[in-house]
Amino acid sequence: MAEVRLVDVSKTFGDVRAVADMNLTIANEEFLVLVGPSGCGKTTTLRMIAGLEKASSGDIYIGDRRINDVAPRHRDVAVVFQNYALYPHMSIYDNMAYGLKRRKFAAAAIDERVREAAEILGITNLLERRPDQLSGGQQQRVALGRAIVRHPAAFLFDEPLSALDAKLRVQMRAELSKLHDDLQSTMIYVTHDQVEAMTMGDRIVVMLDGRIQQVGTPDEVYHQPANLFVAGFVGSPPMNFSRGELEAAEGRVWFTSQDLRLPLLPEQTAAVERFIGDDLVLGIRPEDIHAEEVRGSEQFVRVPMKVEVIEPLGFETHVVLTTGHESFVARFSPRVEVHTGMEQEVMVDMARIHLFAGADEHNLLVGNGTG
Ligand code: ATP
């Protein structure tokens, strides 16, 4: 049982509050991803769990055991870093066996574990080589192997793929997900890459300035972002934002900005009523701006725009459109014919909009846009 639990955990370095009042439970066998921009405190969180950094306050548990004062090597966690730091003069076999030897495992047990891990990772044929005879991806696998042989209660990953090229990263992402399925271990994974977070995590923790902004499944974080920061951080191209206000007129509630005037759907009114007259931010995902007629159209509002920039990706086209003062990115099917400078009427899916208001810019229409 390797549930990992952080209770009111904070970490300060001098004046810097790297992690603030963190409460988080990582379930047994869960793959949890900590994601956020540089400096948000994700690495510090991981290092506190590993024991490489001491929490300034709060409690950290693995299972029922409070581990704040337990030495790193007795925490039963294995860390895989970005720079895999293999011992250059040792064979791959010895690199993987090293930690077990230091822990005085019997030779037969070491051999069994090294070969089992090598089998899982598909590197059995590399065991006699030295690290400089391996590719970057193979070296990363050896680093994983060193962690696997320990049979830890939890794996901690600190940006393990960021040194690899883009193609290999995609491949290793899938391999790590499979490894998680095979080993059924608790895994905590730090990355600044929201695509890695979305594709790998059972749940994602989005952090900013040492604080958790949202914890949820990839689906929840994408479709029900808790606040403006999460909405802008997750998704590529990012969500479009328009600053404006809400106005009640003609028996409806309208979002109005410099260029837009969009009627909210009747079922959205209750959630936003007390913000009428306030400044707020409208969010629309690029895939919710359509070029073509969509059936079941009461929820769609037509908006005239003009095409500014076209980025064809083959499988889809990203189109930057302007309403005059405001710009919006849309994801169009490659079948849609567009050219720069043309007028393009788009259909905005009002059922999938988001509205952010208040000092913490929280999402008023949470629950919208799912399904
Ligand atoms: P990155 O992706 O850049 O590694 P991160 O989200 O992992 O960022 P942390 O490394 O956890 O962020 O750092 C959080 C904050 O704590 C930052 O402001 C950082 O400068 C600060 N910090 C981290 N380690 C130390 C340290 N040893 N001494 C002083 N400040 C530190």
Side-chain angles (χ1 to χ4, degrees), residues 7 14 47 49 95 99 104 116 131 179 213 217 289 323 335-336 344:
V7 182
R47 289 173 61 84
I49 298 169
N95 262 284
K104 309 267 184 277
E116 174 201 53
L179 188 68
Q213 303 296 304
T217 63
I289 300 176
T323 47
R335 290 191 312 277
V336 177
Q344 172 77 48

Side-chain angles (χ1 to χ4, degrees), residues 3-21:
E3 178 185 278
V4 178
R5 197 153 51 95
L6 285 76
V7 182
D8 292 329
V9 171
S10 294
K11 176 70 186 178
T12 48
F13 296 103
D15 294 342
V16 178
R17 198 132 205 241
V19 176
D21 307 320

Side-chain angles (χ1 to χ4, degrees), residues 203-224:
R203 283 190 308 159
I204 298 175
V205 178
V206 184
M207 294 183 68
L208 177 68
D209 295 339
R211 290 185 188 277
I212 294 179
Q213 303 296 304
Q214 186 167 8
V215 183
T217 63
D219 210 52
E220 285 164 352
V221 167
Y222 189 81
H223 291 292
Q224 304 166 34

Side-chain angles (χ1 to χ4, degrees), residues 9-273:
V9 171
S10 294
K11 176 70 186 178
T12 48
F13 296 103
D15 294 342
V16 178
R17 198 132 205 241
V19 176
D21 307 320
M22 184 128 166
N23 285 287
L24 181 66
T25 301
I26 300 114
N28 187 35
E29 298 183 10
E30 182 172 28
F31 197 124
L32 183 111
V33 181
L34 296 171
V35 68
S38 184
C40 72
K42 52 196 187 296
T43 299
T44 302
T45 303
L46 196 80
R47 289 173 61 84
M48 285 192 288
I49 298 169
L52 303 172
E53 213 71 76
K54 201 169 160 47
S56 305
S57 60
D59 303 300
I60 304 174
Y61 298 87
I62 296 182
D64 294 332
R65 188 162 72 129
R66 183 178 180 277
I67 55 158
N68 290 56
D69 302 315
V70 175
R73 66 181 181 285
H74 293 136
R75 288 190 180 197
D76 201 14
V77 297
V79 192
V80 181
F81 295 104
Q82 171 187 345
N83 59 348
Y84 4 92
L86 304 179
Y87 299 109
H89 56 285
M90 286 187 199
S91 70
I92 299 310
Y93 184 99
D94 288 338
N95 262 284
M96 286 168 67
Y98 184 74
L100 299 180
K101 274 189 190 150
R102 277 192 45 191
R103 287 176 173 77
K104 309 267 184 277
F105 274 63
I110 293 176
D111 192 61
E112 189 181 325
R113 288 196 182 194
V114 168
R115 293 194 183 278
E116 174 201 53
E119 186 70 27
I120 291 171
L121 296 164
I123 53 172
T124 304
N125 58 334
L126 305 178
L127 288 174
E128 306 311 320
R129 292 201 197 168
R130 280 199 327 273
D132 63 2
Q133 298 169 312
L134 301 190
S135 71
Q138 289 168 332
Q139 291 187 34
Q140 184 55 269
R141 268 185 216 123
V142 178
L144 283 172
R146 273 194 315 201
I148 293 171
V149 293
R150 292 185 43 201
H151 294 178
F155 288 86
L156 308 178
F157 297 104
D158 191 2
E159 307 243 7
L161 307 186
S162 51
L164 304 178
D165 67 49
K167 196 170 166 202
L168 198 52
R169 221 161 42 222
V170 173
Q171 187 190 333
M172 287 299 289
R173 228 154 63 192
E175 285 190 23
L176 274 175
S177 294
K178 181 164 180 304
L179 188 68
H180 177 246
D181 291 346
D182 292 346
L183 299 178
Q184 305 205 329
S185 297
T186 307
M187 296 187 170
I188 307 174
Y189 189 103
V190 162
T191 180
H192 63 273
D193 180 344
Q194 52 103 11
V195 177
E196 254 176 41
M198 293 292 282
T199 51
M200 298 173 76
D202 294 325
R203 283 190 308 159
I204 298 175
V205 178
V206 184
M207 294 183 68
L208 177 68
D209 295 339
R211 290 185 188 277
I212 294 179
Q213 303 296 304
Q214 186 167 8
V215 183
T217 63
D219 210 52
E220 285 164 352
V221 167
Y222 189 81
H223 291 292
Q224 304 166 34
N227 59 32
L228 192 61
F229 172 74
V230 176
F233 186 76
V234 175
S236 177
M239 188 184 280
N240 296 290
F241 295 122
S242 169
R243 288 194 176 269
E245 63 178 328
L246 291 182
E247 171 199 349
E250 302 151 52
R252 307 193 72 158
V253 176
W254 304 75
F255 170 82
T256 58
S257 66
Q258 203 168 5
D259 293 343
L260 299 176
R261 187 159 192 273
L262 305 173
L264 269 57
L265 301 177
E267 59 268 29
Q268 293 168 332
T269 309
V272 306
E273 230 155 25

